[in-house]
Amino acid sequence: MKTLYLKKLCSFCSATAVALTISVTSMQSAAETLRLSTPVPPSHIFSKVSTKFAEDLSARTNGDFKIKVFPFGKLGSDPENTLMIQTGAIQFAVIPAAFMANREESLNAWLLPGLFDDVEAAGAATQLPAAREMLAALDKQGMVGLGYVFAGMRNLLSVDPISNLKEIKDKKIRTFPGPIFNDWWLTFGAAPTALPTPEIAPALTTNLIDIVDVDLDLVTALKLYQQAPNLAITNHMAFPAIMVVSKKWWESKTAEQQTVIREVFADAEAWGIKAQVMAEEKNLKMLKDAGVAITKIEKISYADSTAEILNKYVNKTPLISEFYEQVKAEK
C-alpha cells in the first residue's frame, strides 16, 4: 500500500510539475508579446512599416520576439507613448520627429522648410552621420532610436482653393504642434491651430479650420478631401517619425538580440522609404480620380519665408547646422 501510495504521489508530482512548466512557459511567452504603438491608421506608412518590422522580426527569431501593432493611437497619444516607452510599459513606438523635437532640439533639422524636394531625397538623408547622431541623442530620453519612417511630404488641403501662400493670411491652419511649424505659418500671417488627428475632419466640417498642413497618406486614409476638396502641392517640408525602443527593455536583451533587432528594422526602414516614394504617386492619382482640385505652388514663390526660418533654426544647435550642411553637400 505504501509503495502504491508513493507511486501515485510521484505521478501526481510529475503531472503538477508538467502543468507548472506549461503555465510558466505560457506566462513567459505572453510576456514576450511586445507592444508597438503608432499614431496613425493601419493604411498609413508609419503603421505599414511597423507591421512589416513586427512580421520580419518574428520570422527572423523563429517567434522569439512577437510584436503586436496598435495603430491610430489606441495605446495613447504621442506624449503618453513617450512616457510608456520611458517606463517600459510598452516596448516600441513610432513617434513623429516633430514631437520628439520638443525634447531633442536637433530633430528640428528634419523639419526645415524647403530642405528636401521629395521623400526619396529625405530618405537618403537618414544615412548621414548627423541623422544617426540625432538617434543616439535620444538615449538620454530613456529610449533607443532604431531609425526613421517617412510619411509623404507636407502639402496643403483646404476648403477653398489656394494658388499662392500669400492667400493663407488670416486663415486657420491645422498643423503639428511645435515651434518650427508655428514660426513657419506665422511668416505668412496664418493662424496655426493644433488639433488631434481624429478631430481634423469634424473641424473642417464646422469651419473651425480652413486648411490642413498634411501628408497625402493621411488625406487618403481619413478621406479628408470629402471635407476639403482642394489640394495645393507645396512639398514644403518632410515629415519623418522615429521607431523608438524602451531603453529599459532594450538593456535586458543580449548584444546579439539587439543586433538582430537593428538589422531587421534597417531593412524595414529602407522598405518604407521605397514604399512611400511609390505611394506619393498612387495617392496623388487617387485624389485626382476622386475629383480633388489640385494646384502646384513652386518653392521659388515662398523662398524668402524659407530663408527666414532657415536663418532662425539652422544655427540653434551644432547638430542642426551639421545636418543642414551634410544635406546640401549631397545635392
Side-chain angles (χ1 to χ4, degrees):
M1 289 290 293
K2 186 175 181 181
T3 302
L4 180 61
Y5 171 77
L6 289 174
K7 285 182 178 180
K8 287 183 177 181
L9 181 61
C10 290
S11 177
F12 172 77
C13 290
S14 297
T16 303
V18 169
L20 286 171
T21 300
I22 292 172
S23 176
V24 170
T25 301
S26 296
M27 291 173 63
Q28 289 174 338
S29 177
E32 282 302 307
T33 300
L34 312 170
R35 296 192 292 174
L36 194 167
S37 180
T38 85
V40 288
S43 60
H44 192 280
I45 190 65
F46 289 177
S47 295
K48 287 182 177 179
V49 170
S50 298
T51 299
K52 177 174 175 55
F53 170 57
E55 291 174 350
D56 290 354
L57 185 60
S58 179
R60 174 81 178 269
T61 62
N62 295 316
D64 287 344
F65 288 114
K66 295 179 181 179
I67 300 176
K68 183 174 181 180
V69 178
F70 293 84
F72 214 10
K74 288 181 179 179
L75 294 183
S77 62
D78 292 329
E80 290 167 334
N81 284 331
T82 300
L83 180 60
M84 287 190 288
I85 283 287
Q86 290 171 323
T87 60
I90 62 175
Q91 293 77 31
F92 298 88
V94 173
I95 301 179
F99 174 78
M100 290 307 303
N102 296 318
R103 294 166 174 267
E104 174 49 49
E105 193 172 25
S106 66
L107 288 167
N108 279 307
W110 286 106
L111 309 171
L112 295 172
L115 185 59
F116 301 108
D117 292 329
D118 50 38
V119 173
E120 188 172 13
T126 61
Q127 303 308 307
L128 293 174
R132 294 291 141 176
E133 285 186 49
M134 292 176 207
L135 296 178
L138 296 177
D139 182 79
K140 60 181 178 288
Q141 299 292 335
M143 57 186 70
V144 176
L146 288 185
Y148 298 93
V149 189
F150 281 88
M153 299 295 287
R154 307 295 282 186
N155 295 290
L156 297 181
L157 190 74
S158 58
V159 175
D160 298 317
I162 299 171
S163 59
N164 191 295
L165 289 187
K166 293 179 181 178
E167 297 171 1
I168 72 173
K169 189 176 187 298
D170 298 325
K171 298 287 186 181
K172 291 168 290 185
I173 179 168
R174 188 275 178 181
T175 189
F176 200 91
I180 195 166
F181 292 93
N182 290 337
D183 289 345
W184 173 239
W185 293 120
L186 286 172
T187 63
F188 301 100
T193 304
L195 283 174
T197 300
E199 295 180 20
I200 296 175
L204 286 167
T205 302
T206 58
N207 298 315
L208 180 62
I209 54 174
D210 308 295
I211 308 166
V212 186
D213 171 5
V214 68
D215 61 84
L216 299 188
D217 264 9
L218 202 61
V219 173
T220 56
L222 300 182
K223 297 185 178 180
L224 297 176
Y225 54 85
Q226 294 178 347
Q227 290 79 30
N230 300 283
L231 175 66
I233 300 295
T234 55
N235 291 332
H236 55 272
M237 193 181 290
F239 196 75
I242 302 167
M243 179 65 77
V244 295
V245 189
S246 168
K247 184 179 177 183
K248 186 175 182 179
W249 177 83
W250 180 259
E251 290 181 341
S252 71
K253 304 299 119 184
T254 66
E256 291 76 14
Q257 289 173 323
Q258 292 174 357
T259 297
V260 168
I261 293 170
R262 286 192 182 279
E263 289 176 351
V264 171
F265 184 75
D267 289 341
E269 179 184 64
W271 177 89
I273 293 166
K274 291 179 182 177
Q276 190 55 40
V277 169
M278 293 186 289
E280 289 285 84
E281 295 182 10
K282 182 180 177 182
N283 287 334
L284 195 57
K285 182 180 185 304
M286 192 281 278
L287 293 172
K288 286 179 180 177
D289 292 344
V292 175
I294 301 173
T295 59
K296 184 172 176 60
I297 299 178
E298 299 294 340
K299 287 186 177 182
I300 190 67
S301 68
Y302 55 83
D304 289 345
S305 295
T306 299
E308 181 179 337
I309 299 300
L310 289 177
N311 289 338
K312 180 172 182 176
Y313 278 87
V314 165
N315 293 313
K316 269 187 172 287
T317 73
L319 197 47
I320 294 179
S321 180
E322 288 172 25
F323 183 74
Y324 179 66
E325 292 301 327
Q326 288 171 15
V327 170
K328 286 202 305 180
E330 293 292 312
K331 290 186 175 181

PDB file of all heavy atoms in Angstrom, residues 8 11 18 24 65 78 87 110 119 138 145 207 278 331:
ATOM      1  N   LYS A   8       1.648   6.796  -6.678  1.00  0.00           N
ATOM      2  CA  LYS A   8       0.616   7.765  -7.029  1.00  0.00           C
ATOM      3  C   LYS A   8       1.077   9.192  -6.726  1.00  0.00           C
ATOM      4  O   LYS A   8       0.812  10.126  -7.474  1.00  0.00           O
ATOM      5  CB  LYS A   8      -0.664   7.458  -6.249  1.00  0.00           C
ATOM      6  CG  LYS A   8      -1.404   6.223  -6.744  1.00  0.00           C
ATOM      7  CD  LYS A   8      -2.694   6.018  -5.972  1.00  0.00           C
ATOM      8  CE  LYS A   8      -3.475   4.826  -6.502  1.00  0.00           C
ATOM      9  NZ  LYS A   8      -4.747   4.619  -5.768  1.00  0.00           N
ATOM     10  N   SER A  11       3.476  10.258  -9.307  1.00  0.00           N
ATOM     11  CA  SER A  11       2.747  10.528 -10.545  1.00  0.00           C
ATOM     12  C   SER A  11       2.071  11.888 -10.472  1.00  0.00           C
ATOM     13  O   SER A  11       2.094  12.681 -11.419  1.00  0.00           O
ATOM     14  CB  SER A  11       1.709   9.424 -10.784  1.00  0.00           C
ATOM     15  OG  SER A  11       0.959   9.705 -11.938  1.00  0.00           O
ATOM     16  N   VAL A  18       4.714  19.225 -14.657  1.00  0.00           N
ATOM     17  CA  VAL A  18       4.469  19.481 -16.090  1.00  0.00           C
ATOM     18  C   VAL A  18       3.515  20.643 -16.253  1.00  0.00           C
ATOM     19  O   VAL A  18       3.720  21.539 -17.081  1.00  0.00           O
ATOM     20  CB  VAL A  18       3.911  18.210 -16.780  1.00  0.00           C
ATOM     21  CG1 VAL A  18       3.413  18.546 -18.178  1.00  0.00           C
ATOM     22  CG2 VAL A  18       4.967  17.138 -16.832  1.00  0.00           C
ATOM     23  N   VAL A  24       4.228  28.325 -16.640  1.00  0.00           N
ATOM     24  CA  VAL A  24       5.332  29.292 -16.651  1.00  0.00           C
ATOM     25  C   VAL A  24       5.733  29.631 -18.079  1.00  0.00           C
ATOM     26  O   VAL A  24       5.968  30.787 -18.426  1.00  0.00           O
ATOM     27  CB  VAL A  24       6.537  28.745 -15.858  1.00  0.00           C
ATOM     28  CG1 VAL A  24       7.750  29.632 -16.065  1.00  0.00           C
ATOM     29  CG2 VAL A  24       6.188  28.657 -14.382  1.00  0.00           C
ATOM     30  N   PHE A  65      10.515  36.850 -30.674  1.00  0.00           N
ATOM     31  CA  PHE A  65      10.034  38.209 -30.469  1.00  0.00           C
ATOM     32  C   PHE A  65       8.748  38.389 -31.263  1.00  0.00           C
ATOM     33  O   PHE A  65       8.761  38.430 -32.491  1.00  0.00           O
ATOM     34  CB  PHE A  65      11.074  39.241 -30.922  1.00  0.00           C
ATOM     35  CG  PHE A  65      12.268  39.338 -30.030  1.00  0.00           C
ATOM     36  CD1 PHE A  65      13.520  38.967 -30.487  1.00  0.00           C
ATOM     37  CD2 PHE A  65      12.137  39.793 -28.728  1.00  0.00           C
ATOM     38  CE1 PHE A  65      14.633  39.049 -29.662  1.00  0.00           C
ATOM     39  CE2 PHE A  65      13.243  39.874 -27.894  1.00  0.00           C
ATOM     40  CZ  PHE A  65      14.492  39.506 -28.359  1.00  0.00           C
ATOM     41  N   ASP A  78       1.006  60.812 -28.484  1.00  0.00           N
ATOM     42  CA  ASP A  78       2.478  60.877 -28.543  1.00  0.00           C
ATOM     43  C   ASP A  78       3.097  61.118 -27.162  1.00  0.00           C
ATOM     44  O   ASP A  78       4.048  60.409 -26.793  1.00  0.00           O
ATOM     45  CB  ASP A  78       2.928  61.957 -29.529  1.00  0.00           C
ATOM     46  CG  ASP A  78       2.587  61.614 -30.973  1.00  0.00           C
ATOM     47  OD1 ASP A  78       2.570  60.408 -31.306  1.00  0.00           O
ATOM     48  OD2 ASP A  78       2.348  62.539 -31.772  1.00  0.00           O
ATOM     49  N   THR A  87       9.148  54.314 -19.337  1.00  0.00           N
ATOM     50  CA  THR A  87       8.942  53.476 -18.154  1.00  0.00           C
ATOM     51  C   THR A  87       9.002  51.986 -18.478  1.00  0.00           C
ATOM     52  O   THR A  87       9.026  51.156 -17.568  1.00  0.00           O
ATOM     53  CB  THR A  87       7.577  53.777 -17.507  1.00  0.00           C
ATOM     54  OG1 THR A  87       6.530  53.500 -18.457  1.00  0.00           O
ATOM     55  CG2 THR A  87       7.497  55.229 -17.058  1.00  0.00           C
ATOM     56  N   TRP A 110      15.092  68.036 -39.463  1.00  0.00           N
ATOM     57  CA  TRP A 110      14.285  67.333 -40.461  1.00  0.00           C
ATOM     58  C   TRP A 110      13.138  68.185 -40.974  1.00  0.00           C
ATOM     59  O   TRP A 110      12.592  67.931 -42.055  1.00  0.00           O
ATOM     60  CB  TRP A 110      13.713  66.046 -39.863  1.00  0.00           C
ATOM     61  CG  TRP A 110      14.718  64.957 -39.706  1.00  0.00           C
ATOM     62  CD1 TRP A 110      15.294  64.520 -38.548  1.00  0.00           C
ATOM     63  CD2 TRP A 110      15.282  64.157 -40.750  1.00  0.00           C
ATOM     64  NE1 TRP A 110      16.182  63.499 -38.805  1.00  0.00           N
ATOM     65  CE2 TRP A 110      16.183  63.255 -40.152  1.00  0.00           C
ATOM     66  CE3 TRP A 110      15.103  64.115 -42.142  1.00  0.00           C
ATOM     67  CZ2 TRP A 110      16.918  62.322 -40.898  1.00  0.00           C
ATOM     68  CZ3 TRP A 110      15.818  63.188 -42.879  1.00  0.00           C
ATOM     69  CH2 TRP A 110      16.720  62.307 -42.250  1.00  0.00           C
ATOM     70  N   VAL A 119      10.358  62.658 -50.959  1.00  0.00           N
ATOM     71  CA  VAL A 119      10.605  61.631 -49.942  1.00  0.00           C
ATOM     72  C   VAL A 119      11.909  60.890 -50.218  1.00  0.00           C
ATOM     73  O   VAL A 119      12.638  60.535 -49.285  1.00  0.00           O
ATOM     74  CB  VAL A 119       9.428  60.634 -49.896  1.00  0.00           C
ATOM     75  CG1 VAL A 119       9.748  59.462 -48.966  1.00  0.00           C
ATOM     76  CG2 VAL A 119       8.161  61.328 -49.429  1.00  0.00           C
ATOM     77  N   LEU A 138      18.764  60.388 -28.379  1.00  0.00           N
ATOM     78  CA  LEU A 138      17.536  60.010 -27.674  1.00  0.00           C
ATOM     79  C   LEU A 138      17.822  59.120 -26.461  1.00  0.00           C
ATOM     80  O   LEU A 138      16.936  58.883 -25.644  1.00  0.00           O
ATOM     81  CB  LEU A 138      16.580  59.291 -28.635  1.00  0.00           C
ATOM     82  CG  LEU A 138      16.056  60.136 -29.804  1.00  0.00           C
ATOM     83  CD1 LEU A 138      15.181  59.286 -30.709  1.00  0.00           C
ATOM     84  CD2 LEU A 138      15.289  61.353 -29.287  1.00  0.00           C
ATOM     85  N   GLY A 145      16.781  54.982 -30.385  1.00  0.00           N
ATOM     86  CA  GLY A 145      16.258  55.293 -31.713  1.00  0.00           C
ATOM     87  C   GLY A 145      16.779  54.288 -32.729  1.00  0.00           C
ATOM     88  O   GLY A 145      17.973  54.256 -33.015  1.00  0.00           O
ATOM     89  N   ASN A 207     -15.977  74.409 -39.854  1.00  0.00           N
ATOM     90  CA  ASN A 207     -15.239  75.647 -40.154  1.00  0.00           C
ATOM     91  C   ASN A 207     -14.360  76.119 -38.994  1.00  0.00           C
ATOM     92  O   ASN A 207     -14.044  77.304 -38.897  1.00  0.00           O
ATOM     93  CB  ASN A 207     -16.192  76.780 -40.572  1.00  0.00           C
ATOM     94  CG  ASN A 207     -16.963  76.441 -41.833  1.00  0.00           C
ATOM     95  OD1 ASN A 207     -16.392  75.940 -42.795  1.00  0.00           O
ATOM     96  ND2 ASN A 207     -18.266  76.711 -41.825  1.00  0.00           N
ATOM     97  N   MET A 278       6.658  55.394 -53.905  1.00  0.00           N
ATOM     98  CA  MET A 278       5.610  54.914 -54.814  1.00  0.00           C
ATOM     99  C   MET A 278       4.232  55.369 -54.358  1.00  0.00           C
ATOM    100  O   MET A 278       3.360  55.689 -55.175  1.00  0.00           O
ATOM    101  CB  MET A 278       5.657  53.387 -54.904  1.00  0.00           C
ATOM    102  CG  MET A 278       6.904  52.844 -55.585  1.00  0.00           C
ATOM    103  SD  MET A 278       6.860  51.050 -55.838  1.00  0.00           S
ATOM    104  CE  MET A 278       7.053  50.469 -54.152  1.00  0.00           C
ATOM    105  N   LYS A 331      23.452  67.268 -52.455  1.00  0.00           N
ATOM    106  CA  LYS A 331      22.639  67.713 -53.595  1.00  0.00           C
ATOM    107  C   LYS A 331      23.506  67.940 -54.835  1.00  0.00           C
ATOM    108  O   LYS A 331      24.661  68.268 -54.745  1.00  0.00           O
ATOM    109  CB  LYS A 331      21.877  68.987 -53.240  1.00  0.00           C
ATOM    110  CG  LYS A 331      20.763  68.761 -52.224  1.00  0.00           C
ATOM    111  CD  LYS A 331      19.943  70.011 -51.997  1.00  0.00           C
ATOM    112  CE  LYS A 331      18.768  69.743 -51.075  1.00  0.00           C
ATOM    113  NZ  LYS A 331      17.927  70.945 -50.850  1.00  0.00           N
TER     114      LYS A 331
END
